[in-house]
Every structure is written in structure tokens, then in C-alpha cells.
Amino acid sequence: MKINKTFVSIVSLFTMLMVLIHTPLLAQDVPAHAITNVIVHMADGSVVENSNIVWRNGIIEQVGVNESIPFDAFVIDGGDSLHVYPGLIDGLATWGSPDIPRDLPRLENPGKPTYDRAGAQPNRIPAHYLNEDKSIEAAMKAGFTLVSLGLDGQMLPGHIQPFNLSAAKLTQAHAFSDPLALQGSFDTAPGSWGSGAYPSTQMGVMAYFRQLMYDASALQEHMMYFENHSDMSQPEQNDVLEALFPLVNREYPLFFEVDSKEEIERMFRLQDEFGFEVVLVSAKEASALSEELKARNIAVLASLDVREMPDWLEKEIKETEAKDQEKSISSDDQADNQDVKKMELTEEELVFRLKQKQAWQEEINNLATLVKSGIPTGFTSDGLSPNEIQKKINLVTEYTSLSKSDLIELMTIQNANILGISNRVGAIKEGNSAHLILTDGPLFEKGTKIHVQVSQGVINDFMED
Amino acid sequence: MKNIVNMLLFLVVFSVGSLAQEKGSVLIQNATLMTITDGIIENGDVLIVDGVITGIGTDLSAPIGVEVVNGTGKYVMPGIIDAHSHLNTVSTNEARNPVTAEVTMEESINPNSVSIYRAVAGGVTSIHLMHGSANVIGGQGETLKLRYGVSQDEMRFADAKRTIKFALGENPTRVHGQGNGIQPRTRMGVEQIIRSHFDEALDYRVRREAYLVAKEAYEGDRRGRRVPPVPVAKNLRYDVLNDIIDGEILVHCHSYRADEILMLMRVFNEYGIKNYTFQHANEAFKVAPEIAKNSAYTSVFADWWAYKFEVYYSTAYNATILNKNGVTNSINSDSNELIRHLNHEAAKTVRYGETSEADALKMITINPAIQLGIDKMVGSLEVGKHGDIAIWSGHPLSIYSKVQQTYIDGKKYFDMLTDPADMRIDVDSDDSYREAGFNTFIQGREEDACMSDVFQFIKQ
């Protein structure tokens, strides 16, 4: 199904003329856009057929079956068969981030590194580091309309800031809002053995993090005192510590990338000490701590980077299937042979395999378990390309209770909730920003193509090529 | 076959996985009890109820529902305590600064290492998980109970004294002096690192306390005439150093040579630090009376030396000489292999120096407990102490004896008769069967466990 471009052009021409003629009389000087006759997928998973969507100035004005189309609208006709979904949101990506520097010079005293050499750069803001990155266009083509960008780094790489994916080359003008969180991890100071620095271990990172928080508290207090007492010594200018004030004051969440159960537990220790809000990022073993996460009201931006089942298990399943097929026509001997083959494994290996199977099942079910436990769960691309994401979606929906529409929910409204921007994005409704995608079939199904991506009202038509 | 496997998996998942901090009850009857602090009791019974030893004697009866184990012909002794181990660290050395008192092994515990189970199978119930020896003042240690299958937090020995690692000699001078061209490059430098950091910590304390007093006065001044103080940030490193000076943290100092042992005692006397332990201390025998006079402790190897220059002057009589001089000495492993048979290491003191069997056993039970500040809770069979015990097939100092069962808090963590085929936990879906979870002891003893994480670094 192609969009009726002739129609669009005629309407456009007409609209232009009308605008020119009636400019002094028009209250709204920016023309509207509309997508008509489409199947709209709502935030709650429900579907409305033959629906129209109208937006102006990047804001959705109308959604519904019988909505009239403003006379000045650029119209895309969905011809009753195209689907519209809310634009996908990537909870955290580092596209456009400068690479972590290699070949760092050896430090004279690795025990007292500068903040950046220790891995603490909370003062960095993504808007200042928007390098060209092919991942951005690829993500747009895959249906993403908004991303919260972080930076590549270590312990504290910088701020997290959402951007509209309305152009392949992002600039500060594409920022959806100001930064809304700080980014963190247990990654140690950058550098190789020769050029590394303190902290070089996870326990070191934890201690260094604490010290930063103490130093930031003291600086903030000094600044507050100085405001009313200019006769006291002047506080130092320290961008790094100042960037931590929102965390010290518990005004900002910390988006913390962590996977193993033990590391998540260590994260809890820091949270207990400083009381800030935490959002876990990646969190591949988070479901093992579901109850604790729920009690702490911690949300998760989960990675979809699950692994295929172990080779031996895949082989075993195939053999069982083949055996089942042959069963009706073959004798019992063949079945016995299979059992004999299995018996050749030592008892230890058999037990190991059972444990491994269980481990894989827990791993692939991480997301499903989090959702089932009622933990606010969203999605981060976590370095996966759109192709890889599609593969992982297939894997997760094949082996867990999650459906594709569950995953779409994580990538839209759930992510918007976690980022604290659900008053503007994540669902198709009046008053929200126009973040939409137009597809020719159910999203993530084989063969479905994304025709148009709309981010903050800006249309990118990928079928034009 | 499948039923057996399922049952085994059930045992693994449900007996180990759900043990979290559980305490158990058991009555062991008619065994030879090596009490450690009260001699040997023949044909004796030990009753553990809810994790605590409630009875030692003869003809004890089990409360309803408590399992009874027939100990006829067997020996019961308190669980072995290893005062020097890196058994299940995540990382061992934060080797980028000569002083890292602020880091703690409490945050470097891997509760899933199969080495834990192997140590339990050797009758060990508690270990002192230590930072490595790369730094003059390394990280804080963590005393653990080897409750295999619980979380990292549940492995911690509640109410154990806080500890910290110091290191003298070749390791810190090699890493920081030769490696980075900073102090300390010599043994003199090592001493000055300790002194200067204690002095800085004391100075910080004065400044910090003065600030807190001034802050309170400022905030309580309703007229607003006072000038606020310049804040002095809390300093984690100096806080820990002050806790050492205040006696709240026990120092365990990696050391070999007699001269550096004397040096540290001089320094500690000046700062009023007591109750510290010299780890390794291969030349401690040369200064045993001085160590005894300072009420310091030693924790040594039975017979391991010559792995670097400062460890050449050594003797298998070290433990015996220290013991005879009244030094509270323990025998440690510092190795994931040796920890499985610390009874043999203790027996060597009997073989070489004719240390009494009773004293040899103290070196792996009550003496390390004293050095870790947990001797009121473990280290001997006494009513009121924790039910951390091992049942041996014969005399624990015999080369032929094996551990049959190990209990921690009265809960059985090892039983030779029902020892499952595969005790790995936290198996990864991508692991190979042969490699998953196995670690170095299979290839033999590590060259210098205290220096793990840093060998690559210092070669550059």
C-alpha cells in the first residue's frame, strides 16, 4: 500500500493557496497534518479502525473515527489498511557519543587521577556531544521516534537527555527536554594496565562514588553559606561536583547500568546510603530480585540482549521432535537408542545441563518475570542494532509469555512513564506530541514495513526512496 | 536415571538455595569431642539447637524433631577458621594507590564460587576474606561464614570485628615504587606511608570535628551574627584510618622480614594501635619474644616459602617457635587449594616442631577466631557458641582422616555420603560444562595469591 501522493500534493497546493489568501484571518498559522483511514493502536493495546489523526505544531489535536480533517491539513491517506503505532522510545542509547579514548597517557600518580581519568564526568550533557552516528537513521527507520541519550563512559558518564528522532543528524535543537537523569555504572577508571587509574575495581568505584557524594554535599553547603556571607572564603568552582547536586538533593534519578544480581544488590547499598531514585538499565538478572525492586519502587529499562538456548538443548529439542514424528512409524528400538545416548553422559553433566537449562530459562524470562511482578519495565536498545532487536523480539516472544504487543507497550508508554515524559509521549492521544509510526502490517511481524515515521510532528517518509 | 537427576537438582536448588541464614538443630552422639578449650571428651555428645551449641556431655537427648547423628568412632571439632583467604573475591587488589583503606571486601564477595563448597568439604566454616597485598594500607577485610548458596550479604559473619589489610616489603614497593615511580620505593618509604596517612587522618579528624561544632553553633545562632564554617567533607579513607587508631578495626599485616615486623610494632605503639596480626610473617620466629611482648598475633604458613627474595629465610619451625614464646599463632591457607586441608597444615607443626596436638588444633580454630575478634562466638566446642562444627572420620590431624559432615549454625552444608554430583551454582547459559565455575586450584597452588589482579600491571 502506497500513500496517495497525488492527493497529498493537491491538498498541499490547495492549503498553500488558502494560507496565502487567508493569512490575516487564520488563528493557526502553521498548517495541520493528518493521517486518515488507519488502524490506530492505542496505549492500552486496543485498536481503533478507520481512524484519523490530526496534529499541528507537533501536537496531536484529534484522534478518532469521525474527526473532521482541517481544511489546511497535509493528509496522508492510510487507505483502511495501514497501521499507526505510537512512536517507539529507546530508554537509553549512546548514539553520537564520543568514543571512550584509547591510548591514554600514563598517569604520574594513578592514585590521584583527575575526575575524567577516574571515570567521573557527571557534568557532561549529551546535547554537547552529538556526533554523527548511523545508528540514529537506522533507529528512525525501525520506528523509533524518541531516544533518551546518554554517553559512553564509566562510573558517571554524564546526564541523560531525551531527543526527538526527527533527523538523522541530531543537533541541540532536537532536544525533547532538558536532561532528566544522571547515568551511572560500576565501570572502573578508563585505561589499560599501564594507563589506568583509581578506582580500578568495583569496590573502588563504590568508595570513590561515596567520596564524590560527600565532596558534593560539602561544596553545596559551602556555596549556600557563601550566598549570605560573602565575607567567608569563596567556594571552589567544580563542575563535576556541582553536577552531582541533583543526586545529593534527591531531585534526579540515577540511571544505573548493571546486570548481575550481586551487582544490583551492591547498587542497593549506595541507594540506601544516599536515598536517590534509581532506574536500573540493562539489568539482565533483575528478575531474581523482583520483590526487592518492587519494595524499592525501582523501574527497569531492560535489555533485550538475551542469548539463544545452549547448543546441546537446541539439539535435544530437535531430536525429540524428530523422534516424536517418527514414533508412529518406527519401532521402539529407535527411542531406546536415544535414551542410551543420553545415558552416556556422566551424572555430573546431566545435573549441570539441568542447571544450565534453568539458567537459560531464567535469563530469557527476565523481562516477562519483571512485567509479571508489576515492576515498571521499559526497554533500552543497549547497543543492539534494529536487526538484532527484531531477532531478540522473536526469541523472547517465542519462549516467554510476552507478546509482541507487550513489547511495544514497553517501548512506548512504559518507557515514557519511566522517563517521566508520559504527559507528552508514549501514546496516541490529543494533547500529546505527535510521535507516530505508520506501518503496512502489525509491528515486528515478518514482512511489516515502516512507511512513515513522525517525530515531534516532523514527517520522515521512508518509502520515498 | 532421570529421577535421580531430578532429585539431585531438587537437593541442589532447595537444600542449598533456600538455606539463607537458616539455623538448624542436630544431636551428635558418642563421638570423640575435640573441644579445643576444654580438652578431649571421649564418647561425648554435642547438641545444637537453632544454630547454637546448647549441650556438651554424655547421654544428651534430642528434643523432638531434632536429627540424631551417630558419632561412634568419629571425631567432632569446631569448624576450621582460615584467617587469610581470597577464596571468593570479585576482585582482590585495588592496586592503584598505596593507601585504599576506604575499599572493603564486604563489597567484593562472590557468593557463587564453587570454591566455597570445596572449603566446606575440608571442614572450614569461616574465612577472613582479605584484600591483597599490593598496597601499604589495603582494603578492609570481611569475615564470612561459608554458607554456600546464600546471598553475598547472608555470607557475612554477623558481629565479627572489622579488619583491614596492611602490607610491607616487596609487594607494595614493587607495585607503587617500581611500577609507578611513587612512594613507597623502599621499606623506609613503606613506614612513612603509614605514618603520613595516620597523621593526615588525625589532622582531618581535628578539622572535621571543629567544622561540625562550628556548623552546629552557626545553625543554632538565631541572631545570625556568626560566620558559617567552611565545610570539611566527610572523608571515607581518613575515617577508616581513624577507626584503626581508635581500635575499632583489627589490622592484619602482610609481612615477612623481622626488621619490618619490628618497625610496624614501633609505629603502632606510637599510635596506640593494639590487637594486630602479622600475616605470613616468615621471619617472625626471629622476633617471637618481641611479638609476644607487644601482644601481637601471627598467622603463618606451615611450610611455604622461597617464592620471592624476602621469603627465603624461612623455617617449618616458625609456628612452633612462636607458639612456645606465647604468641597466639594461626595457620592459614591464602590458597583455594590448601584451604581444603588446613588440618594437614596444622599437623605439620606437630611433625616438625613437636607442637602439642591440642595447640596445633588451636592454630586452625580458636587462635584465628581470636585474631578476627570472633572467639566469643566460634573456635571451640562450648555451650553458647555457634553450631559451626565438622565431623571427621578419624583424628583431624591424621593424614587419613576425612571430613564427613560440616555444619554451620547447626545446618548441614556438606555430607560426604550425599555429596551431589555437581555442586556448581549460578551456572551461565553460555558456560561450557568443563570450564564453568572451576578455578585455579586444579592447576596447583597459585604463586602469590595476595597479588592477584596486579601481576600483569607490574610487568609493564
Side-chain angles (χ1 to χ4, degrees), chain A residues 335-346:
Chain A
D336 287 347
N337 282 339
Q338 291 285 342
D339 285 340
V340 169
K341 214 170 154 190
K342 211 170 170 183
M343 292 285 273
E344 285 167 7
L345 295 171
T346 62

Side-chain angles (χ1 to χ4, degrees), chain A residues 332-403:
Chain A
D332 288 343
D333 295 346
Q334 267 180 321
D336 287 347
N337 282 339
Q338 291 285 342
D339 285 340
V340 169
K341 214 170 154 190
K342 211 170 170 183
M343 292 285 273
E344 285 167 7
L345 295 171
T346 62
E347 196 179 306
E348 187 173 354
E349 186 157 6
L350 282 170
V351 177
F352 177 83
R353 284 189 170 190
L354 280 171
K355 290 179 192 169
Q356 190 159 51
K357 184 177 173 186
Q358 193 184 342
W360 177 74
Q361 282 169 341
E362 278 171 19
E363 184 184 317
I364 197 152
N365 275 295
N366 183 47
L367 210 56
T369 310
L370 288 171
V371 171
K372 211 183 286 172
S373 311
I375 290 159
T377 306
F379 158 85
T380 167
S381 58
D382 193 28
L384 293 180
S385 70
N387 272 346
E388 288 166 326
I389 290 170
Q390 179 67 54
K391 275 186 205 159
K392 303 295 181 185
I393 287 171
N394 295 344
L395 206 57
V396 167
T397 49
E398 184 177 354
Y399 292 106
T400 78
S401 59
L402 290 178
S403 65

Side-chain angles (χ1 to χ4, degrees), chain A residues 106 111 193 198 200-201 210-211 221 233 262 265-266 269 307 347-348 354-356 359 363, chain B residues 5 8 94 96-97 102 106-107 109 152 179 211 215 234 236 422 424 427-429 431 453 457:
Chain A
R106 199 183 171 102
W193 276 105
Y198 176 82
S200 65
T201 59
R210 291 184 174 106
Q211 193 57 53
E221 189 178 66
S233 71
E262 281 74 28
E265 287 170 343
R266 288 178 203 124
R269 293 177 72 112
R307 286 180 282 214
E347 196 179 306
E348 187 173 354
L354 280 171
K355 290 179 192 169
Q356 190 159 51
E363 184 184 317
Chain B
V5 171
L8 288 170
E94 175 49 70
R96 296 297 188 170
N97 199 51
E102 67 280 12
E106 185 183 331
E107 291 170 350
I109 301 167
Q152 56 190 337
Y211 149 69
K215 175 185 159 80
K234 178 178 165 65
L236 206 50
D422 184 306
R424 285 172 279 188
V427 170
D428 192 284
S429 68
D431 282 340
D453 310 339
F457 164 51

Side-chain angles (χ1 to χ4, degrees), chain B residues 134-421:
Chain B
N135 308 339
V136 180
I137 301 178
Q140 297 160 71
E142 186 66 22
T143 303
L144 304 179
K145 286 217 185 189
L146 299 186
R147 303 176 179 114
Y148 189 47
V150 305
S151 73
Q152 56 190 337
D153 206 35
E154 288 160 340
M155 283 198 79
R156 294 166 58 201
F157 195 129
D159 301 323
K161 283 280 276 186
R162 291 166 68 197
T163 66
I164 193 164
K165 176 81 167 266
F166 277 42
L168 312 176
E170 285 178 22
N171 287 3
T173 52
R174 192 161 35 144
V175 172
H176 303 287
Q178 291 172 32
N180 291 322
I182 57 169
Q183 201 184 23
R185 203 174 180 84
T186 63
R187 284 187 159 74
M188 297 179 287
V190 169
E191 177 179 349
Q192 292 314 315
I193 288 279
I194 298 170
R195 286 179 181 279
S196 62
H197 280 81
F198 278 153
D199 290 346
E200 284 167 23
L202 289 168
D203 180 51
Y204 151 79
R205 174 146 69 178
V206 170
R207 288 186 296 110
R208 170 87 177 158
E209 283 173 359
Y211 149 69
L212 291 172
V213 169
K215 175 185 159 80
E216 205 182 333
Y218 169 72
E219 285 171 358
D221 175 25
R222 288 182 187 168
R223 292 178 183 175
R225 287 181 186 168
R226 287 175 186 269
V227 175
V230 174
V232 176
K234 178 178 165 65
N235 186 299
L236 206 50
R237 184 177 294 166
Y238 291 146
D239 277 345
V240 174
L241 294 179
N242 278 310
D243 288 348
I244 296 170
I245 294 169
D246 291 346
E248 287 172 26
I249 299 180
L250 303 176
V251 175
H252 283 251
C253 185
H254 163 109
S255 53
Y256 292 106
R257 274 179 25 179
D259 56 349
E260 66 188 13
I261 289 172
L262 290 176
M263 175 278 285
L264 193 76
M265 291 196 294
R266 273 198 309 273
V267 172
F268 278 8
N269 281 340
E270 282 179 40
Y271 289 91
I273 297 165
K274 295 185 173 69
N275 297 323
Y276 46 93
T277 304
F278 289 102
Q279 290 283 343
H280 309 318
N282 285 43
E283 288 188 19
F285 66 95
K286 293 181 181 175
V287 288
E290 289 80 0
I291 294 171
K293 196 178 146 200
N294 283 291
S295 303
Y297 309 130
T298 52
S299 182
V300 306
F301 297 130
D303 55 354
W304 187 22
W305 53 72
Y307 41 89
K308 58 187 151 182
F309 192 74
E310 65 184 355
V311 206
Y312 271 68
Y313 201 145
S314 301
T315 167
Y317 294 84
N318 197 20
T320 303
I321 294 168
L322 288 162
N323 191 48
K324 279 203 168 168
N325 278 276
V327 177
T328 299
N329 175 65
S330 64
I331 304 273
N332 69 59
S333 78
D334 191 13
S335 151
N336 293 1
E337 191 283 323
L338 268 192
I339 195 171
R340 301 180 310 133
H341 49 98
L342 269 169
N343 60 318
H344 296 162
E345 300 304 293
K348 286 173 184 173
T349 64
V350 182
R351 166 67 182 80
Y352 291 118
E354 296 177 357
T355 297
S356 71
E357 289 178 0
D359 281 0
L361 287 174
K362 280 183 181 175
M363 291 184 192
I364 51 173
T365 53
I366 193 70
N367 289 3
I370 291 168
Q371 293 167 354
L372 299 175
I374 51 174
D375 53 305
K376 297 280 184 289
M377 296 177 275
V378 289
S380 61
L381 300 182
E382 287 180 64
V383 170
K385 284 198 169 181
H386 298 184
D388 295 5
I389 60 159
I391 303 176
W392 294 75
S393 61
H395 194 293
L397 294 176
S398 163
I399 194 83
Y400 301 107
S401 297
K402 287 178 180 171
V403 173
Q404 302 215 308
Q405 293 180 349
T406 308
Y407 292 82
I408 300 171
D409 304 316
K411 195 90 197 170
K412 190 161 65 181
Y413 281 82
F414 170 73
D415 190 333
M416 198 177 219
L417 291 177
T418 56
D419 179 34

Side-chain angles (χ1 to χ4, degrees), chain A residues 254-266:
Chain A
L254 181 64
F255 280 38
F256 203 84
E257 185 160 357
V258 67
D259 279 316
S260 84
K261 176 178 172 280
E262 281 74 28
E263 290 180 349
I264 296 170
E265 287 170 343
R266 288 178 203 124

Side-chain angles (χ1 to χ4, degrees), chain A residues 40-60:
Chain A
V40 176
H41 293 256
M42 307 305 278
D44 60 2
S46 65
V47 169
V48 184
E49 294 192 4
N50 301 317
S51 198
N52 302 329
I53 303 167
V54 179
W55 70 92
R56 190 191 301 269
N57 257 334
I59 307 293
I60 297 174

